[in-house]
Amino acid sequence: QQTTKLRVSTIPIIDTAPLQIARAKGFFAQEGLEVDTTPTAGGAAGLPALAAGQVQIAFSNIISIVLGAKQNLGFQIVAAGSGTGGEPPDLAGLIAKKDAKLKTGKDFEGKRVAVNTRNNIIWLYAREWVRATGGDPDKVTYLEVPFPQMIDAVRGDRVDAAFVVEPFLSAGLSADNMTLVGWPYNTVRKYIPVGQYATTKGYLEQNPVVIEKFVRAYNKGVDWANANKGSEEWSKIISEYTKLPPEKIKTLNLPPFEKTVDPAGVDAVVDLMRKNNMLEGAFDSKALLYRTATQPPR
Amino acid sequence: MQLAPAEVDALQAAEPRAPYLRLQGIRKNFGAGDSQTLAIDGVDLDVREGEFLAVIGPSGCGKSTLLQIAAGLAAPSEGVVSFEGNAVLAPPPGIVYLFQQYGKSLFPWRTVIDNVAFAIEHRPGMNRERAHAESRRYLQMVGLGDSERKYPWQLSGGMQQRVTIARALAAQPRVLLLDEPFSSVDALTRLELHALVLELWQQQRFTAVLVTHDVDEAVFLADRVAVLSRRPSQVVEVVETELPRPRDNIATRELPRFIELRHHLLSQLLRREA
Amino acid sequence: MQLAPAEVDALQAAEPRAPYLRLQGIRKNFGAGDSQTLAIDGVDLDVREGEFLAVIGPSGCGKSTLLQIAAGLAAPSEGVVSFEGNAVLAPPPGIVYLFQQYGKSLFPWRTVIDNVAFAIEHRPGMNRERAHAESRRYLQMVGLGDSERKYPWQLSGGMQQRVTIARALAAQPRVLLLDEPFSSVDALTRLELHALVLELWQQQRFTAVLVTHDVDEAVFLADRVAVLSRRPSQVVEVVETELPRPRDNIATRELPRFIELRHHLLSQLLRREA
Amino acid sequence: MAAEGRVRSQRVWGFVLIAALLVLWEVSARTWVSSNNWPPISRIVVAGAQALAAGELPQVFGSSLWRMLAGYAAGAGLGVLVGVLMGRFRLVNAALDTLVELVRPIPIPAIVPPLILLLGIDATMKIFIVAFASFFPVLVNTIAGVRSVDRVSLDVARTFHVSPARTLWRVVLPASMPFIMVGLRTSLALALIVTVIAEMIAGSEGIGYYLMTMQYAMRSGEMYAAILLLALMGYLLNLCMLGVERRVLHWFQRGS
Amino acid sequence: MSATAFSRRRPERYLGLATVLALVLALEGCVRSGSVNAAIVPPPSVVIAKLGGILTGGDFAQPLAETLYLLFASYAIGCALAVGLGLLMGRYAFVHGLFEPLVEFLRPLPKPALLPPLILFLGLGDAMKMTAVALGVFFPVLINTVQGVRGTDPVLLDVARTFGHKPTAAVFKVVLPSALPLILAGMRVSLGLGLVLVIVAEMMAGTGGIGFLVIDMQRSFRSADMYAWIVILAVLGYGLNALFVRLERRLIHWSLSSTD
Ligand SMILES: Nc1ncnc2c1ncn2[C@@H]1O[C@H](COP(=O)(O)OP(=O)(O)OP(=O)(O)O)[C@@H](O)[C@H]1O
Ligand SMILES: Nc1ncnc2c1ncn2[C@@H]1O[C@H](COP(=O)(O)OP(=O)(O)OP(=O)(O)O)[C@@H](O)[C@H]1O
Ligand SMILES: [Mg+2]
Ligand SMILES: [Mg+2]
């Protein structure tokens, strides 16, 4: 059987664990796929590379995919990546200094919150959390701070709170005088999609079988990840590509990985985007999901 | 120095030749508008093939400018330069100009010998060794054989000036335009350089135009001496020296004709105020 | 020019004075190791207060180097310079050196008048207008009154040289060290500059040391003439000119003493080969 | 030459200063600055030594170095070439000047998408980015250098009938070397910087990727070790350039 | 001079525009013919339309002002410090020895790599951005200044000494003007670099200015709008450079005189 080469743009974070597992455990090879993962910083170059045809599949967050699809770049979500489960902990949380006494969105009015980029998912959910907990999101200042610097920023009073992802979340919480204020993802909505694997319509039309194979193998990785989370081998694989020390990986609290994307969740995100002026005009969120994303291939 | 060439020379100096290097109606203006400087105001001058012409004139009258125009290095504002019947619009092959600013005209990144070699190294059939050998020969002629590996800034003013002389001679031009080439050397060196230039001039039969402030030098070396006026300069007069060749440092300078010419030219120069 | 100062001068020239600017056992080596050049090999020279001393010597012998050492601009490899009894380790106030490389010693970013003003603008009590007025005066003296707003590269060689003369004179130094200051000017301008320098020298009573290649010039201007040997240079002889002042361009040059001195010094210079 | 020796001996004080700053760093990290992003030097050294011993850092630096050199050679070489032509020939200057000045202020991050489209996400794109960044300082300096060449020098070449091409090579180029060399040195550091940045965009190779991963893995010891090593590499590369410069420009720097 | 130079320069100026125009037209052709993905590289005509919208809409003033403020402040700081230190380093062997190693260690460090300590010590505001940009501006000017100072002709320095100018005065009257052609070349390099760095800083800090707009539009794949802003940026750079050239002509006309 001939192997098909597939280039996938990823981000070296915990969210892409199933993909790396599927690669490490040979699930792709079993499907006759040779997957080459290309990390891109923060995923910024992932979707442009996808649109340019330099990679066939890209891991990216839902907002970017929606925005790209809106600009007729033909993105299609083929597999679920990361998201939130039915209850905390999430992969990201809102933290602040203990003595700042920040509890609800109301308390945040007039305060500064660190987000990694404005007009994107972290920012969106930070705003929605403020709204959901009784505050006015427009009365909060959002400052862009790279994730690794968020703890410094909070500690140095450059910001009042930060919406930070793992592993910085755990590290922040383990420092003294830091506390978790809330889980914005879960507070806003359960089971929301965060990261997905996308390809382009053009590639899909030509290679539907390849995509099915990819998703099938990827889903095996999801199963393995959910079953073996916390094991030695799990730590080893994760450490291999994130360079996180294995002992730190064990302490991370993770939601389960999903195999499908909830269309209602996507709808909800699109609604939130509209509400926050990120999207104008009609957008058919159903058309964004390829069938493999809602019905895992057998 | 044999007699034969000298006799030929004396003959040549006497009989006018076909136009060789010809300056016609040269005017030169610097700057524009209010700050215009008219440096040269209509100069006609024929340089004959093989002659030694000296040009004298007050400081700032436009001698350097005129020579640069003749060399094709500067364009006249009006007038025409022609060399062997062709209009000179760029430096024509065969004419070399020796800059008055000797310090500036040496390349600081080249050693003395490489500065001299610059004149010839690009010629067809030249290689580094031959260019160096040739350059060394000329450096020795100007008394700088032992300084060839120094850089220009390691030389005294007079030594730098001699390097430029060696460089110009090494090029073996058909017309050599010398702009105050001996201004910074002592009496003896100057005499030696006079002898050297005359000897090469007679051997290689090139045409020489010399700008100088030294009337003695002009008369001693030249077949003809042209006198320029103050700025805006014009040709006041051109005098045939009519002195026999080969010239001798003592005998020639004692000739009545020499003394007469010297007196005449000096008074020309000194009179201009009145 | 009155008689009185001239008489005083003649007296002063005859009677030796206290050490004023003194060079003792000066040696100067350039470079290191194999490529060493010994330029000056033990020169002793006393410059008397108020005198006019000329220095002559072959090209490259170390005249400029010696003057720069006397000016405190270069350090001797051996020996001591003292001025009014104090060792000279840096340019002492009151001594000004006029560079042989006139082209290089002008600031290309300054106009002619600003170049001259450079000599005085930093003095206490000076402002721009006064410095300019003063500079203008000296520019007019050297015949460049109409070029004050030009930049150096817009001047001819001789004009540039005159700017440096104006600048050095404007500084009104107590000791003026002149390094071939008249090499690029024509005969008439040169005579005018001679007269100018002598006049100021007598008015302002400064001490002058002049390096020149022109023996006539040396004898005509100086009280004493020092002759240097070839490199490594030493003082061959110092001659008192013993010519009366004020000096006159025609009368002085016809004095038997002048002719004798001229002959003597020239033969000194020309003999060195033998 | 003597001045150069003097500078070299004074450089000791430079290293003393650096040592003092590093001690200050150590002390600050141990006492009043407490952040994972500010580890003490001692920890950085240990982490660096381990990474070096494991062969991780040498591999990372090696892969960056060749990309950098390739991009630098292309960009700087072109910079000198175009600079000489633009500085010397009015027409070339007129034709390219506007374009150059319009393109120069464009930041690379802004044009990442089209770059990916045209050049992919691998070595070609990164080398192009490095070349792009190295190009301008060399170009600007070269043009300025060529324009400041003394007219007399050019006229000397003309009067000896040296061909225009040879004049460029033998007169204009050496005379503008003080400017060109300094442009080359500016670009060398810039090339290093941009290599790292380009490696942060995409791919899993080189210093940039290493810095990024280590930062996201909260291993600031390794991150700073790589940064210090980067500084050292830059220092050494600059030293090489200075060596070249001393040979080429001995005539220029005698003022110091 | 001006009259002839002008008439000679006229057609040349059109030549530069013609080059740019030709490239733009070629690009338009490429995109329209489909050989380049129009979603990533929009046709110039579309970009120009967007540009028209931005310019007539008037919302360009605010980000432009922010960017310019940041640029001028950091550029001025960076250049002033660099020329100052450069003069000292070029003049005094001790200062040179003291700072050269540090400078050469810091110079090749990428600003993103310095971001952790910069944010740690300077926070997120203008201070941090200005430091980052000023640092980038600083180095080219510094090494050009050092080079220029070292190239000062010793004769000119000796002229200052013999006329009794103090060493400090000589630095300002002799060394500085003589080094000016090199210093200005460095400042011109830094001007372009500074603009790039300001944009990148705004991209990373995300508080405003053209940089933030550009990256924000890039992230939302609005490439036509993004390129419209890049065109504004390019023209801004061109304009700044044109101003700089004027300044240069005034300051070092004596050095450029040889190329008339
Ligand atoms: N580039 C220039 N711009 C303006 N004026 C100039 C320029 N070059 C020369 N001049 C002027 O032209 C005149 C003639 O200059 P030139 O150098 O030819 O004189 P010269 O006869 O060689 O004088 P010298 O004997 O002093 O060398 C001078 O008055 C000078 O000021
Ligand atoms: N910086 C230097 N390095 C090496 N050698 C030098 C340096 N400066 C001068 N010399 C040498 O010292 C000697 C004396 O030079 P100096 O300039 O004093 O001569 P000079 O008597 O003024 O000659 P001229 O009459 O030609 O001006 C020369 O042989 C020269 O080569
Ligand atoms: Mg002249
Ligand atoms: Mg001398």
Side-chain angles (χ1 to χ4, degrees), chain A residues 180-249:
Chain A
L180 185 99
V181 181
W183 300 103
Y185 283 158
N186 242 300
T187 308
V188 175
R189 194 176 187 280
K190 305 203 183 309
Y191 297 106
I192 65 150
V194 176
Q196 288 75 35
Y197 291 89
T199 185
T200 57
K201 278 197 183 111
Y203 186 77
L204 257 178
E205 271 158 24
Q206 313 235 314
N207 308 281
V209 183
V210 176
I211 291 300
E212 281 204 1
K213 286 180 181 171
F214 172 81
V215 177
R216 209 178 297 130
Y218 172 78
N219 284 347
K220 274 193 212 165
V222 173
D223 287 336
W224 192 95
N226 288 334
N228 296 286
K229 209 179 286 175
S231 71
E232 280 301 316
E233 195 179 0
W234 150 268
S235 303
K236 199 171 142 278
I237 295 175
I238 306 293
S239 169
E240 188 72 21
Y241 79 93
T242 60
K243 305 292 179 204
L244 281 171
E247 57 289 358
K248 215 166 241 161
I249 295 171

Side-chain angles (χ1 to χ4, degrees), chain D residues 9-24, chain E residues 94 97-99 101-102 105:
Chain D
S9 67
Q10 301 285 16
R11 226 172 247 161
V12 171
W13 292 109
F15 288 103
V16 170
L17 176 67
I18 289 179
L21 290 175
L22 291 181
V23 169
L24 184 69
Chain E
F94 175 75
L98 185 62
F99 285 110
L102 187 64
F105 277 117

Side-chain angles (χ1 to χ4, degrees), chain E residues 72 191 236-249:
Chain E
F72 285 146
L191 186 61
L236 178 64
Y238 180 84
L240 288 174
N241 185 67
L243 280 180
F244 195 89
V245 168
R246 290 200 149 186
L247 183 77
E248 205 168 53
R249 285 224 185 96

